Structure formats: structure tokens, C-alpha cells
Amino acid sequence: MKLPVYIGLLDEAEATLASSFRVVADGHGDEPDVHFILQTFAKKCDAHREALKPVIDRYGEDVEGEEEHRLTANGVKEVRSGPLALMLDLQDLYVLVSHIDVTWMMVGQAAKGDRDKDLQGVVEQCEGDSELEIRWLQTRMKQAAPQALLVAE
Amino acid sequence: MTDRIADIWGERTPHGSGQAWPERVDQVLAEGLTDGDVDRWVQSACVLCSNGCGCDIAVKDGKMVGIRGRAADRVNRGRLGPKGLYGSWQGEAHRDRLTRPLIRVDGGLVETDWDTAMGRIVERSKELLASKGPLSHGFYTSGQLFLEEYYALGILGKAGIGTPHMDGNTRLCTATAAAALKESFGADGQPGSYADVDECSAVFLYGHNMAETQTVLWSRVLDRLDGPNPPKLVCVDPRDTEVARRADVHLAVHPGTNLALMNGLVRELFANGWIDEAYIAEHTANVEQLRSVVEPWTPEKVAETCGVDAADVRRAAEIFGTEDRVLSTVLQGFYQSAHATASACQVNNLHLLRGMLGSPGCGLLQMNGQPTAQNNRECGADGDLPGFRNWENPQHVEDLARLWNVDPGIIPDWAPPTHALQIFRYVEQGSIGLLWISATNPAVSMPQLERIRHILDKDSLFLVVQDIYLTETAQYADVVLPCAAWGEKTGTFTNVDRTVHLSEKAVDPPGEARSDLDVFLDYARRMGFTDRDGQPLLDWSGPEDGFEAWKECSRGRPCDYTGLSYDKLRGGSGIQWPCTAEQPGGTERLYTDAEFPTAPEHCESFGHDLLTGATTGETQYKATVEPGKAWLKALEYTPPHEEPDADYPLRYTTGRTAYHFHTRTKTGRSRRLNGAAPEPWIEMSVEDAARAGCQEGDIARVTSRRGSLEVPVRVGDIRPGTVFAPFHYGYWDTSDGGRHRAANELTVTEWDPVSKQPLFKNAAVRVEKLRSGDGPSKAPDTTASRRATGARR
């Protein structure tokens, strides 16, 4: 059974995303909407990890010898500077969130296959948050792109 | 007429439920004049608050010399408030009026002629368009201009230049009203009518100090309260306002906790079965989500979070749930707070759950703060497309392109129109090089003023300011354009209950001042903006051309003006839109048939997530909408981002006084109004003042993470833990340029994610005594700021 690999992957990815949200939030304090909303999103990641705890207790989060199958996306360790900084940082977050979103989808499929109602419930709650994060990132990047690409000094 | 500085609301003319509000004509003439001295009376409506009272201007020897209310007008039946009576023409007659254009030369502003001033603007404008394109231009306007002026500005910005960077100071007052109406009903526009005051059995005022923000409307409420079968009154406000003093239930919530209260009130409706199941099923969507979001909000939990009594929450909910005709009004206390749109939507939800819309007394007014804010939203000079069109709907953009005969590609529709604080951010970053500010004063009215001053002062910015006085903002301008004021130009405007008034030119503007419309038309001409056939984009010869053009733009949209004309607006009362060939007398209430403009092809917005402001998008909207049904939108409560702590233990909130409007550009120049409230103050409770070692009149320093104020203390009946400051005061009239008196030195740059309205109503501060005063503060004793009586409940 390989589901524990993916559960471990999710837990790790949510942790990476939470810290990335916080890095970008702190680094873009002059963009108040970004600053506050990303902090809210980071808290959601924390909540997702909490929700995963009982799942991990049941399944474990690792399978011996499967480490090389860990699919990891690098988190954002520091924000960039310059006129494109905000957009590039948001785009990095977008990649991370999308990665998590599709991972939740796959875990959700496994939960259905396993008729695991508890895990299905966790997935449902968390998938909605990922989807919202994607929509917000798209909304904000759409707003920022023309100014950043055409006019910024 | 009594002295309306002392007696703000005037004599009572009580009326009972369902009776017409009696007439009472208020009038002021210049000292020594009588009616017989007046050469002529010119029809208008008052612009010194958002109420939109019909009035006539007295003219003698080519000068404005008086004002009186129009008895026939549906809005005021002849009444006027202190600002209209003492600050209308008097606030414009000051010797400080700008009479010639100014340009910056060697660091200073010097007088010049219009050709030179406009030439400078056009030169810079063309240079920036050539080198950086349309996104280098930003326009920040007002809630003070006329419909025709907004529409001209909307066209030249969206179809001449092609910039999405246009907004009004309506962002600081009514943006949430518009957002909440769009989210719930699919389009902007107030469902209710002022006449609902005469018909209702209960009135709820949410964050709306009507007694000071709309004194004439409050007279109407007082006349019901003092008449037979008075309505029950519920007030949500942290201050002990005149409204609170008359209320059956006063919910003095902590600033920043409105949404928790609203979730609790909605929950009580569900829990007690005070809902209209049939209406909900037939005319609304999303009820289950609403039910689950509010479920945890028991009266006890609300009490704990908001700092109110659970019994009062129950009592307020019972009034809403059991009275048969409830009128709700909402204003800045909700709009300038965390979760602004979500909280305002919950008011809409209360009405939807009871099916209480579209019938007499069942009014819902998401109020405006300014007289022509509605026009700004309609005409597209702010963050909307003209005629309540949806920027995400290509067909709506095509409509506008056809109307203006331009390529649809020039109309910026690729993202939401840029909101005010983002425009200033782009200036801060240097990507907006030309900012054109008309009839507003961001150097005093924006949040976090130290930052705003820095932005206005940037070398990379070419700043154009058009106004009637040299405001704090104009001091930073590269070009200052002197404009005509109310009574000196003709145009229409629309108040919050959709009443359209015509305001006619009574006198000539001083010196070389021109109407804002003339300025915009002149700029469009000089820039050579043309349509697809090479004809001038704006070929209007005057305001009436603009009104006729606007009528076409509004055709078929929710705000349909096609049945109106200047002639029709002359002589009688204002008329409410929609006004069409089918409804020539206008429309008193919207949604009488519970048919809402949510169909994808018709709606103004596909909606947003209330927590983040993420757009829903066309695909998801079309997949989930039930056309014609209203949305019951909900959001879980979370605490505001800045909460009191050990360093900043008090909650700071701002608001108005009855005697001033905005940054006192006009009212501060009226002798009577200035005398009534000549300088700023802070209000503290008896307990908090004692803790800070302050007595009435002592000078205190109030500090937040952004700046500080040094102003006298008024010890009042505000709820403990909360500090209030009036937001009107800047520094144009101080001898030392003292900047530590503007309330917005302290406020935070943060906004509601959906409506983008700044959070003026919640910041964390500390207060220290600086020195003893030499007497009581000069805060008015006639209003919410009166000295503590110990009467606070």
C-alpha cells in the first residue's frame, strides 16, 4: 500500500507551503492585501496538517524504501526584490498550491477507493481551500501583471 | 426656524405609521436680507451630506445669498440640515477661493492662464502615453461631482486613454455598499426608499450614526419616534450616539466585531423559525451554507466576542424576526471595518430570510457617505464600468464600445478596475507618472497619512489637482485647476434612494474658475481623443448633452434613466431611477417581484469570495447561479488583524461630527459651522481617561504604529476600551502646519478584500497625557461627542 507515501508528501508539502506563505507575507508588507491574506492562508495550511494527524496515525506517512518517490517542490525561502518581485513570488506560490491541490485530488481518489469516509472528509475540506488559494493568486496576479510587465521601472 | 447649530434636527413634526411626512420649510438668508430682497430662486439639491435634500438657492445681484428647502421634494419635504443651511453658499464664498490656474515654478505654485496650465498637463500626458502607455495614468476623483462630469471622466479614461486606474473617494465611503449589493443581488442599487421610514414598524441602524451623517433623514425618524405608533429602534455602534440614546436596543460592539454580531442575529432567525421558507426556496440560493456558517454564533458567543449582553442580542433578533416591516440602514461603522462586505451582506441576508424587500416599510439602504457617490458608481469614474456593466462580461464591454464608437480593445477589462489604495501604491512604486485628483483631499482623507504625503511628494509624479480651494493635497500639485462649485454649474446627481435631482447654475464661478465638466471636455479635446470615425470622442457642448448621452448608456441596465430629462426634473421633486417610458414616474422600490439581476448575461458582477476577494469567475458563476435568485452569502468571523495589546491597549475608531463634511474644505470656511466644532478632539470613556490621568480638556498624545495625534480629550460616554476621533481635520487652517491633528495619521493601510474599502474603524492605540488643558475641549456638546452623563447602559 503506497497511500502513506502520498500522505507523507501532503504533510510535508503543506508545511512547505505554510512557511512559503509566511515568507512572502512578511516580505511584501507594503502590499497589505497580500500580507494579510497570505497569513490567513498559512493558518489554513496549519489546520490542514492538524486534520491530517489522525490520518497519519492510522496509515503512517512513510513506506520503507520509497523515499526516492517523494515528489517535492521547493518552497520560497526568501522574497525577491525589484519590479517583478511580487509577481514572481506569487507565481512560485501558485506552483506550490497547484502541486498540493492535485495531490489532494489523488489522495481523495484513494480515499474513495478505500471507502475511507474520514479521509474523504479531510480531503473535501482541504481541497476547497487549495482551490480558493488558486483563485486568489490568479485574481491578484491578473491585476499585477500588466503594471509589472509594461510600466514598472 | 430655531438656531440649527444648537438644535440640529429642528422642531418636530410628528407623524404616524403610513402617514405622509409633514412639510417644514427651513431657510437661511444672508444677514439683513428678507425674502423681498431675493432676485430669484434657483432649483438645486444640497451636496453637504449624502441625503440629497431638494433646495432652492437665493440669488441677489449675481451672488448666492441664501438657501431654503423644497417643500415638494420627496427626500426632505422642505427641511435642511445645519451644513446645508450654514455651509452651502457660505462655504463657497470665502476669499481663499481659487480663481486662476496655478503651476509649479522653481518649487512654488504661481498663477498662470488656462492655456499654459492645460498645455503642461497635455504635454506630460502625451509624453507618458508615448513612452509608457496608458497604465502610466491614474485618476482619483470624488463623490462631489455631478453625473455628467463622472460620465465624461469615465469615457475619457476608459475609451480615450484606456487606463483601469480610475477610482473615487467613494472607495472610502460607499464602495462596500456597492459591493454588498452586487454580491447579494447581482447589481448595485438600493432596494429601499426613504419613504420606508414613514411605513416601518422597526428601524435597524448598523454602524450608521444617522443623527450626524444625515440629519434630515434622522429628523424623519425622530418624527416617527415622537408620533403615534413609533417604530422600535435598534442601534449598532460603539459610541453613545443620539441614535443609541433613542434606541430600544443599543449594541455597543467592539470595533472590528460586526460580523460576529451579524452571524449571531442571522442564527437567531434560523433558531427561532423567524424565516420565510417559501421566499427562501423560490428567491434565494445558498441557504445551507449560510445556516452552517452562523450555526456556532449563539447569543452567548456573540456577547463574549463583541462585548455586549446576550439578552440584547436576543432582543434585537426578536425585533427583526417578529416585526412585520423592518427598515435597515448601514454605513461606515460596517463599511470601514474588517469583513466589511461580509457584514453588510449579512444585513441583506436578514431581509432575504424574511422576504422583506420591495414592499412599503421593508426598506434596505446600504447608505452612501456622499451626495453623488451613486453617480460615480454608475458612470464609471470609479472602479466600475458605466451603467453597472460587468468587466468580466465581453458583451457588456462590446456594448460600451458600440456606444462610444471605439475599438473594444481600448476599454480595460482584463482585470478588476484598480482601487484607490492600489493606485497610490503604483504611484509609490513609480509606475503611475500622472495622477489627476479632482474634488478630493487624500492628504487628509486617506489612511496612514505620513505615507500618503510621501507618495504625493514623489519626484516621479506629475500631480494635477482640480478643486475650489488650495487643499492640503493641492499644495503638492504640479498644476492646480480652479473649479466651479455647487450653484456655479449645472448637472444632476442621485442620492442613496435613487432619487435624481437637477442642480442648476445660479451664479457665475469666481475669476477664471471653470466647471469640472468643461475641464474634462477641454482635456479630451486637447488630447485629440477620437472615435473610430475620427470624430471627437467627447463632443458635448454642455451638461445636458452629457445627460442625454448617459441616458443611452443606462438604457436597459438596472439604473435606467431613459425616462428622465432636465425638463422633467425641473419644477417639482426629484425622481427615482429606474425611470423609463414604461415607468415614467420613476420607481419607489426595487425587487417588488423578488426577481433579482443575477442572470449571467445581466449581472454586474460574477461575485467574490468574501474572505479573500478572489473573483468567482465566469465559469464557476454560470455553473452555480440560479438566475433571478439572490445570493445568501456568508463568512466565518475571524478577529481583525490589528488587536489591542500591551503596547497599544485601546481600540481606535473614527467618524463624523454633524457640523463638518469631509476634510472641511467648505464647512471649515463657514463661520457658524467652524464655530460649532473648531478643532479636533479624542473621545475617551470616564474609566479610560482616568487610567491615562486625563481630565476633560487635557491635551493627550494618541499613538498607533503609524503616527500620533496631539489633541484635547473629551471625556464622554463612549464604550470603555475605545477611543474615537473625528476624521475631518487636516492642517490647512493651522498656523504651524500642525499635522498631529488628522485622525488618519493613525489608521492602517489595510482594506476589505472585496470592496477594497480601508479599515478606518479599527486600529490599536495608546493614550498619554501631554499637558493640562485650560478648560473643556471644544468638542460639540450637542451630539455623540457630548460630555459624559453617566447614562451609558
Coordinates of all heavy atoms in Angstrom, one line a residue, chain B residues 87-137:
Chain B
G87 N -23.5 76.1 5.5 CA -22.2 75.9 4.9 C -22.3 75.8 3.4 O -21.3 75.5 2.7
S88 N -23.5 75.9 2.8 CA -23.7 75.7 1.4 C -23.1 76.9 0.6 O -21.9 76.8 0.1 CB -25.1 75.5 1.0 OG -25.9 76.5 1.5
W89 N -23.8 78.0 0.5 CA -23.2 79.1 -0.3 C -22.1 79.8 0.6 O -21.1 80.2 0.0 CB -24.2 80.1 -0.7 CG -24.5 81.2 0.2 CD1 -23.9 82.4 0.2 CD2 -25.5 81.2 1.3 NE1 -24.4 83.2 1.2 CE2 -25.4 82.5 1.9 CE3 -26.4 80.3 1.7 CZ2 -26.2 82.9 2.9 CZ3 -27.3 80.7 2.8 CH2 -27.1 82.0 3.4
Q90 N -22.3 79.7 1.9 CA -21.3 80.4 2.8 C -19.9 79.7 2.7 O -18.9 80.4 2.8 CB -21.8 80.4 4.2 CG -23.2 80.9 4.5 CD -24.3 79.9 4.4 OE1 -24.2 78.9 3.6 NE2 -25.3 80.0 5.3
G91 N -19.9 78.4 2.5 CA -18.7 77.7 2.4 C -18.0 77.9 1.1 O -16.8 77.4 0.9
E92 N -18.6 78.5 0.1 CA -18.0 78.7 -1.2 C -17.6 80.2 -1.4 O -17.0 80.5 -2.4 CB -19.0 78.3 -2.3 CG -19.3 76.8 -2.2 CD -20.3 76.4 -3.2 OE1 -20.7 77.2 -4.1 OE2 -20.6 75.2 -3.3
A93 N -18.1 81.1 -0.5 CA -17.9 82.5 -0.7 C -16.6 83.0 -0.1 O -16.4 84.2 -0.1 CB -19.1 83.2 -0.1
H94 N -15.8 82.2 0.4 CA -14.6 82.6 1.1 C -13.5 83.2 0.2 O -13.4 82.8 -1.0 CB -14.0 81.4 1.8 CG -13.0 81.7 2.9 ND1 -11.7 81.9 2.7 CD2 -13.2 81.8 4.3 CE1 -11.1 82.2 3.9 NE2 -12.0 82.1 4.8
R95 N -12.8 84.1 0.7 CA -11.7 84.8 -0.1 C -10.6 83.9 -0.5 O -9.9 84.2 -1.4 CB -11.2 86.0 0.6 CG -10.5 85.6 2.0 CD -10.0 86.9 2.7 NE -10.2 86.7 4.2 CZ -9.4 85.8 4.9 NH1 -8.4 85.2 4.3 NH2 -9.6 85.7 6.2
D96 N -10.5 82.7 0.1 CA -9.5 81.7 -0.3 C -9.8 81.0 -1.7 O -9.0 80.2 -2.1 CB -9.4 80.6 0.7 CG -8.8 81.0 2.0 OD1 -8.3 82.2 2.1 OD2 -8.7 80.2 3.0
R97 N -11.0 81.2 -2.2 CA -11.3 80.5 -3.5 C -10.3 80.7 -4.5 O -9.7 81.7 -4.8 CB -12.7 81.0 -4.1 CG -13.9 80.4 -3.5 CD -14.1 79.0 -3.8 NE -14.3 78.6 -5.2 CZ -15.5 78.6 -5.8 NH1 -16.6 78.9 -5.1 NH2 -15.6 78.3 -7.0
L98 N -10.0 79.6 -5.2 CA -9.0 79.6 -6.3 C -9.7 80.2 -7.5 O -10.8 79.9 -7.9 CB -8.6 78.2 -6.7 CG -7.8 77.4 -5.7 CD1 -7.7 75.9 -6.0 CD2 -6.4 78.0 -5.6
T99 N -9.1 81.2 -8.1 CA -9.7 81.9 -9.2 C -8.9 81.8 -10.5 O -9.3 82.2 -11.6 CB -9.9 83.4 -8.9 OG1 -8.6 84.0 -8.5 CG2 -10.9 83.6 -7.7
R100 N -7.6 81.4 -10.4 CA -6.8 81.3 -11.6 C -6.0 79.9 -11.5 O -5.7 79.5 -10.4 CB -5.8 82.4 -11.7 CG -6.4 83.8 -11.9 CD -5.4 84.8 -12.4 NE -5.0 84.5 -13.8 CZ -3.9 84.9 -14.3 NH1 -3.0 85.6 -13.6 NH2 -3.6 84.6 -15.6
P101 N -5.7 79.3 -12.6 CA -4.8 78.1 -12.5 C -3.5 78.4 -11.9 O -3.0 79.6 -12.0 CB -4.7 77.7 -14.0 CG -5.8 78.4 -14.7 CD -6.1 79.7 -14.0
L102 N -2.9 77.4 -11.3 CA -1.5 77.6 -10.7 C -0.6 76.5 -11.3 O -1.1 75.4 -11.6 CB -1.6 77.4 -9.2 CG -2.6 78.2 -8.4 CD1 -2.6 77.7 -6.9 CD2 -2.2 79.7 -8.5
I103 N 0.6 76.8 -11.6 CA 1.6 75.8 -12.0 C 2.8 76.0 -11.1 O 3.1 77.0 -10.5 CB 2.1 76.0 -13.4 CG1 2.5 77.4 -13.7 CG2 1.0 75.6 -14.4 CD1 3.1 77.6 -15.1
R104 N 3.6 74.9 -11.0 CA 4.8 74.9 -10.1 C 5.9 75.4 -10.9 O 6.3 74.9 -12.0 CB 5.0 73.4 -9.6 CG 6.1 73.4 -8.5 CD 6.0 72.1 -7.7 NE 4.7 71.9 -7.0 CZ 4.4 72.5 -5.8 NH1 5.3 73.3 -5.2 NH2 3.3 72.3 -5.2
V105 N 6.5 76.4 -10.3 CA 7.7 77.0 -10.9 C 8.8 77.2 -9.8 O 8.5 77.8 -8.8 CB 7.4 78.4 -11.5 CG1 8.7 79.1 -12.1 CG2 6.4 78.3 -12.6
D106 N 9.9 76.6 -10.0 CA 11.0 76.7 -9.0 C 10.5 76.3 -7.6 O 10.8 77.0 -6.6 CB 11.6 78.1 -9.0 CG 12.2 78.5 -10.3 OD1 12.7 77.6 -11.0 OD2 12.2 79.7 -10.6
G107 N 9.7 75.2 -7.6 CA 9.3 74.7 -6.3 C 8.0 75.4 -5.7 O 7.4 74.8 -4.8
G108 N 7.6 76.5 -6.3 CA 6.4 77.2 -5.7 C 5.3 77.2 -6.7 O 5.5 77.0 -7.9
L109 N 4.1 77.4 -6.2 CA 2.9 77.5 -7.1 C 2.7 78.9 -7.5 O 2.6 79.8 -6.6 CB 1.7 76.9 -6.4 CG 1.6 75.4 -6.3 CD1 0.5 75.0 -5.4 CD2 1.5 74.7 -7.7
V110 N 2.6 79.2 -8.8 CA 2.4 80.6 -9.3 C 1.2 80.6 -10.2 O 0.9 79.6 -10.9 CB 3.6 81.2 -10.0 CG1 4.8 81.2 -9.1 CG2 3.9 80.4 -11.3
E111 N 0.5 81.7 -10.3 CA -0.7 81.9 -11.1 C -0.3 81.9 -12.6 O 0.8 82.3 -13.0 CB -1.4 83.2 -10.8 CG -2.1 83.1 -9.5 CD -3.1 84.3 -9.3 OE1 -3.1 85.2 -10.2 OE2 -3.9 84.2 -8.3
T112 N -1.2 81.3 -13.4 CA -1.0 81.3 -14.8 C -2.3 81.3 -15.5 O -3.4 81.5 -14.9 CB -0.2 80.1 -15.2 OG1 0.2 80.2 -16.6 CG2 -0.9 78.8 -15.0
D113 N -2.3 81.2 -16.9 CA -3.6 81.1 -17.6 C -4.0 79.7 -17.9 O -3.1 78.8 -17.8 CB -3.5 82.0 -18.8 CG -2.4 81.6 -19.7 OD1 -2.3 80.4 -20.1 OD2 -1.5 82.5 -20.0
W114 N -5.2 79.5 -18.3 CA -5.7 78.1 -18.6 C -4.9 77.4 -19.7 O -4.6 76.2 -19.6 CB -7.2 78.1 -19.0 CG -8.0 78.1 -17.8 CD1 -8.6 79.2 -17.2 CD2 -8.4 77.0 -17.0 NE1 -9.3 78.8 -16.1 CE2 -9.3 77.5 -16.0 CE3 -8.2 75.6 -17.1 CZ2 -9.8 76.6 -15.0 CZ3 -8.8 74.8 -16.2 CH2 -9.6 75.3 -15.1
D115 N -4.5 78.2 -20.7 CA -3.7 77.6 -21.9 C -2.4 77.0 -21.4 O -2.1 75.9 -21.7 CB -3.4 78.7 -22.9 CG -4.3 78.5 -24.1 OD1 -5.0 77.4 -24.2 OD2 -4.4 79.4 -25.0
T116 N -1.7 77.8 -20.5 CA -0.5 77.3 -20.0 C -0.6 76.1 -19.1 O 0.1 75.1 -19.2 CB 0.2 78.5 -19.2 OG1 0.2 79.6 -20.1 CG2 1.6 78.1 -18.8
A117 N -1.6 76.2 -18.2 CA -1.8 75.1 -17.3 C -2.2 73.8 -18.0 O -1.7 72.7 -17.8 CB -2.9 75.5 -16.3
M118 N -3.2 73.9 -18.9 CA -3.7 72.7 -19.7 C -2.6 72.2 -20.6 O -2.4 71.0 -20.8 CB -4.9 73.0 -20.5 CG -6.2 73.3 -19.7 SD -6.6 72.0 -18.5 CE -7.2 70.7 -19.6
G119 N -1.8 73.2 -21.1 CA -0.7 72.8 -22.0 C 0.3 71.9 -21.3 O 0.8 70.9 -21.8
R120 N 0.6 72.3 -20.0 CA 1.5 71.5 -19.3 C 1.0 70.1 -19.0 O 1.8 69.1 -19.1 CB 1.8 72.1 -17.9 CG 2.7 73.3 -17.9 CD 3.5 73.3 -16.6 NE 4.5 74.4 -16.7 CZ 5.4 74.7 -15.8 NH1 5.4 74.0 -14.7 NH2 6.2 75.7 -15.9
I121 N -0.3 70.0 -18.7 CA -0.9 68.7 -18.5 C -0.8 67.8 -19.7 O -0.4 66.6 -19.7 CB -2.3 68.8 -18.0 CG1 -2.4 69.6 -16.7 CG2 -3.0 67.4 -17.8 CD1 -3.8 70.0 -16.2
V122 N -1.2 68.4 -20.8 CA -1.3 67.7 -22.1 C 0.1 67.2 -22.6 O 0.3 66.1 -23.0 CB -2.0 68.5 -23.2 CG1 -1.9 67.9 -24.5 CG2 -3.5 68.7 -22.8
E123 N 1.0 68.1 -22.4 CA 2.4 67.8 -22.7 C 2.9 66.5 -22.0 O 3.4 65.6 -22.5 CB 3.3 69.0 -22.4 CG 4.8 68.8 -22.9 CD 5.7 69.9 -22.4 OE1 5.2 70.8 -21.6 OE2 6.9 69.8 -22.6
R124 N 2.7 66.6 -20.6 CA 3.2 65.4 -19.8 C 2.4 64.2 -20.2 O 2.9 63.1 -20.2 CB 3.1 65.8 -18.3 CG 3.5 64.6 -17.4 CD 5.0 64.2 -17.7 NE 5.9 65.2 -17.2 CZ 6.5 65.2 -16.1 NH1 6.3 64.2 -15.2 NH2 7.3 66.1 -15.7
S125 N 1.1 64.4 -20.4 CA 0.2 63.2 -20.6 C 0.6 62.5 -21.9 O 0.8 61.3 -22.0 CB -1.2 63.8 -20.7 OG -2.2 62.8 -20.6
K126 N 0.8 63.3 -23.0 CA 1.2 62.7 -24.3 C 2.6 62.1 -24.2 O 2.8 61.0 -24.7 CB 1.2 63.8 -25.3 CG -0.2 64.2 -25.8 CD -0.1 65.2 -26.9 CE -1.5 65.4 -27.5 NZ -1.6 66.5 -28.4
E127 N 3.5 62.7 -23.5 CA 4.8 62.2 -23.3 C 4.8 60.8 -22.6 O 5.4 59.8 -23.0 CB 5.6 63.2 -22.5 CG 7.1 62.9 -22.2 CD 7.5 64.0 -21.3 OE1 7.5 65.2 -21.6 OE2 7.9 63.7 -20.1
L128 N 4.0 60.7 -21.6 CA 3.8 59.4 -20.8 C 3.1 58.4 -21.6 O 3.5 57.2 -21.6 CB 3.1 59.6 -19.5 CG 3.9 60.2 -18.3 CD1 3.0 60.6 -17.2 CD2 4.9 59.1 -17.8
L129 N 2.1 58.8 -22.4 CA 1.4 57.8 -23.2 C 2.3 57.2 -24.3 O 2.3 56.0 -24.6 CB 0.2 58.4 -23.9 CG -1.0 58.7 -22.9 CD1 -2.2 59.3 -23.7 CD2 -1.5 57.4 -22.3
A130 N 3.2 58.1 -24.8 CA 4.1 57.6 -25.8 C 5.2 56.7 -25.3 O 5.6 55.7 -25.8 CB 4.7 58.8 -26.5
S131 N 5.7 57.1 -24.1 CA 6.8 56.3 -23.6 C 6.4 55.1 -22.7 O 7.1 54.1 -22.8 CB 7.7 57.3 -22.7 OG 7.0 57.8 -21.6
K132 N 5.3 55.2 -22.0 CA 5.0 54.1 -21.1 C 3.6 53.6 -21.3 O 3.2 52.5 -20.7 CB 5.1 54.6 -19.6 CG 6.5 55.0 -19.2 CD 6.6 55.7 -17.9 CE 6.7 54.6 -16.8 NZ 6.9 55.3 -15.5
G133 N 2.8 54.2 -22.1 CA 1.4 53.7 -22.3 C 0.4 54.1 -21.3 O 0.7 54.8 -20.3
P134 N -0.8 53.7 -21.5 CA -2.0 54.2 -20.7 C -1.9 53.8 -19.2 O -2.4 54.5 -18.4 CB -3.2 53.5 -21.3 CG -2.7 52.4 -22.2 CD -1.3 52.8 -22.6
L135 N -1.1 52.8 -18.8 CA -1.1 52.4 -17.4 C -0.3 53.4 -16.6 O -0.1 53.2 -15.4 CB -0.6 51.0 -17.3 CG -1.4 49.9 -18.0 CD1 -0.8 48.5 -17.7 CD2 -2.8 49.9 -17.6
S136 N 0.3 54.4 -17.3 CA 1.1 55.4 -16.5 C 0.2 56.5 -16.0 O 0.6 57.4 -15.3 CB 2.1 56.1 -17.5 OG 1.4 56.7 -18.6
H137 N -1.1 56.4 -16.3 CA -2.1 57.5 -15.9 C -3.0 57.0 -14.8 O -3.6 55.9 -15.0 CB -3.0 57.9 -17.1 CG -2.3 58.9 -18.0 ND1 -1.0 58.6 -18.6 CD2 -2.7 60.1 -18.5 CE1 -0.7 59.6 -19.4 NE2 -1.7 60.5 -19.3

